[in-house]
Amino acid sequence: MDVKIFKTQFDAIFMTSFNDFVAQAKNRTNDPYILSSISHTSSIASTGKRIRPYNVAVAYEAYSGSSWKDISHLLVGVELIHLMALIHDDIMDNAETRHGVQTVHSFTKNHIESLCSDSFVDHVSRSQAILVGDMIFSWAYKSISQKSTPKEVWDIVHELVEEVVVGQMIDVITPLSNNSDFKSVENKMLLKTARYTFSRPLMLGAMAASAPDKSFWLQKFGDALGLMFQAQDDLLDVVSQESLLKKSTLGDIKNGVHTLISVYVSDNANDEQKDIWNSWFGKNIDLDSELVNKFLTDMGAIDYVQDYISTQKEKAMTILAESDISESHKDNFKKIIDMLSHRKY
């Protein structure tokens, strides 16, 4: 299954469903500011990479022999859950843009700032964004419920939601600690990214195809892919350019978010290097990206993360090679690995 063709076909289905939900919600109020916030979500919804529904689709087709379009309602639901998570994540990260589009709370703030004092505008705009995310979450469950959905599928949906929420809670609380260890950071990566983006969507596809006994290798495969994906994100935050990422860089360092990079610095930096790092980490100040990049490159942190990415990629390839699916379907899973190997943002 070609990733680009899937995205084009799924986008048409997803945006039709999404806009139907938006239209229904807009019938419930005449308030222009609420309507504008709801409408703005369409701009964000249209920019998604569709990684999660693609993973559901690949696993479903591998075990059902049918087209992913038979379970498009499930794929739409998974993408809606992701959109909700993005809106809430942007609030927690104080992000102004998402994929080059204004975040919901930032958009709302610009539209209501003339209505209230500066001290209250942040509260209102964030509250509205939280509620928009909550509403989209209800749309996700409504979409998944459109057809008779087996309990095994719902169980995976609930696991996906719970794991990403706990992972995000870990992400929010860890800046309170000056140090973090590899085990806790990798556990956060598993919950917030690997299980949510890869393992659970892949297992959803298998469960929807009535192949629960075939799903164990998918979790191990998805975990490896997800750890690779998150490590790439952590690395891109340091080495990439804002114009390419379509968001600000060095955010993890400024916000004191513990990643594999911060773990490496904590474990390997000398006293002088730790002083430099501590003057940056968790300090919301302007940083010279070239200086930070050189600092981390010279001490070996960049190579360390790149080696970790390579290790997870090799693990995923080995797990796939040993799986029970046909060679033709293995090619579709290989395309996921290839897509991750060449990602730039």
Side-chain angles (χ1 to χ4, degrees):
M1 186 194 313
D2 183 86
V3 179
K4 292 182 179 179
I5 293 176
F6 168 81
K7 186 179 184 306
T8 299
Q9 294 177 346
F10 177 71
D11 274 354
I13 294 172
F14 176 72
M15 289 309 300
T16 297
S17 295
F18 186 82
N19 289 330
D20 286 344
F21 283 127
V22 169
Q24 182 178 351
K26 290 171 70 174
N27 285 332
R28 301 185 187 280
T29 179
N30 292 320
D31 187 288
Y33 298 100
I34 295 176
L35 292 175
S36 65
S37 294
I38 294 173
S39 296
H40 180 67
T41 59
S42 295
S43 299
I44 300 174
S46 65
T47 65
K49 301 173 187 175
R50 316 308 186 206
I51 294 174
R52 291 152 195 85
Y54 180 72
N55 288 332
V56 178
V58 167
Y60 178 76
E61 292 197 348
Y63 284 111
S64 71
S66 302
S67 169
W68 61 265
K69 293 181 181 179
D70 293 344
I71 58 164
S72 59
H73 66 292
L74 178 58
L75 275 64
V76 168
V78 168
E79 187 67 7
L80 286 170
I81 291 172
H82 179 54
L83 181 58
M84 172 277 295
L86 290 183
I87 291 171
H88 287 178
D89 188 56
D90 288 338
I91 298 168
M92 289 177 270
D93 288 348
N94 292 315
E96 296 295 314
T97 60
R98 167 70 65 173
H99 299 157
V101 178
Q102 266 193 306
T103 56
V104 175
H105 68 277
S106 176
F107 173 87
T108 303
K109 180 178 179 178
N110 289 346
H111 279 69
I112 66 169
E113 56 188 358
S114 63
L115 301 179
C116 52
S117 64
D118 291 343
S119 60
F120 196 52
V121 70
D122 282 336
H123 167 72
V124 175
S125 59
R126 288 169 180 271
S127 298
Q128 289 292 78
I130 290 170
L131 293 167
V132 168
D134 291 344
M135 182 165 58
I136 291 173
F137 189 53
S138 75
W139 298 349
Y141 271 62
K142 187 173 183 178
S143 181
I144 296 170
S145 300
Q146 284 179 1
K147 296 183 180 180
S148 178
T149 304
K151 178 181 181 299
E152 293 80 9
V153 172
W154 275 115
D155 287 344
I156 298 296
V157 171
H158 295 148
E159 283 191 69
L160 179 151
V161 173
E162 183 174 300
E163 286 172 340
V164 73
V165 169
V166 173
Q168 187 65 39
M169 291 172 75
I170 294 171
D171 202 34
V172 168
I173 204 72
T174 51
L176 298 180
S177 171
N178 292 327
N179 296 300
S180 190
D181 58 82
F182 174 84
K183 185 177 180 180
S184 62
V185 166
E186 190 171 62
N187 182 54
K188 179 187 73 172
M189 293 165 68
L190 278 171
L191 293 175
K192 186 183 175 184
T193 303
R195 302 276 165 80
Y196 166 64
T197 305
F198 295 95
S199 308
R200 299 309 177 208
L202 288 168
M203 293 173 70
L204 273 176
M207 292 294 182
S210 301
D213 57 323
K214 305 291 185 181
S215 62
F216 182 68
W217 78 272
L218 288 172
Q219 175 161 328
K220 295 191 296 180
F221 177 72
D223 284 355
L225 288 180
L227 292 173
M228 172 184 172
F229 183 84
Q230 185 58 58
Q232 287 174 328
D233 263 9
D234 297 342
L235 192 60
L236 289 171
D237 186 56
V238 172
V239 304
S240 190
Q241 299 175 345
E242 292 187 7
S243 58
L244 190 59
L245 288 181
K246 297 181 181 180
K247 64 178 183 179
S248 59
T249 56
L250 305 179
D252 290 338
I253 296 174
K254 293 178 182 179
N255 294 320
V257 177
H258 288 291
T259 64
L260 293 177
I261 292 173
S262 68
V263 168
Y264 182 89
V265 173
S266 177
D267 291 345
N268 295 276
N270 58 37
D271 290 343
E272 181 181 355
Q273 291 169 328
K274 285 183 179 179
D275 286 342
I276 295 173
W277 178 255
N278 290 333
S279 71
W280 299 337
F281 194 70
K283 311 293 192 302
N284 193 15
I285 58 175
D286 289 333
L287 295 174
D288 185 325
S289 58
E290 290 186 8
L291 178 63
V292 174
N293 201 331
K294 184 178 186 306
F295 172 83
L296 293 171
T297 298
D298 289 347
M299 71 177 305
I302 302 300
D303 286 342
Y304 169 74
V305 178
Q306 288 175 335
D307 288 344
Y308 180 89
I309 292 169
S310 296
T311 298
Q312 297 304 323
K313 177 181 177 180
E314 291 172 7
K315 185 182 294 185
M317 293 175 66
T318 299
I319 294 168
L320 177 60
E322 296 173 351
S323 70
D324 62 340
I325 60 173
S326 66
E327 290 301 320
S328 61
H329 283 115
K330 281 182 181 178
D331 286 341
N332 288 330
F333 288 91
K334 288 176 183 176
K335 287 176 182 177
I336 301 175
I337 299 175
D338 186 61
M339 175 177 63
L340 297 186
S341 300
H342 296 94
R343 65 186 292 243
K344 302 296 183 183
Y345 61 92

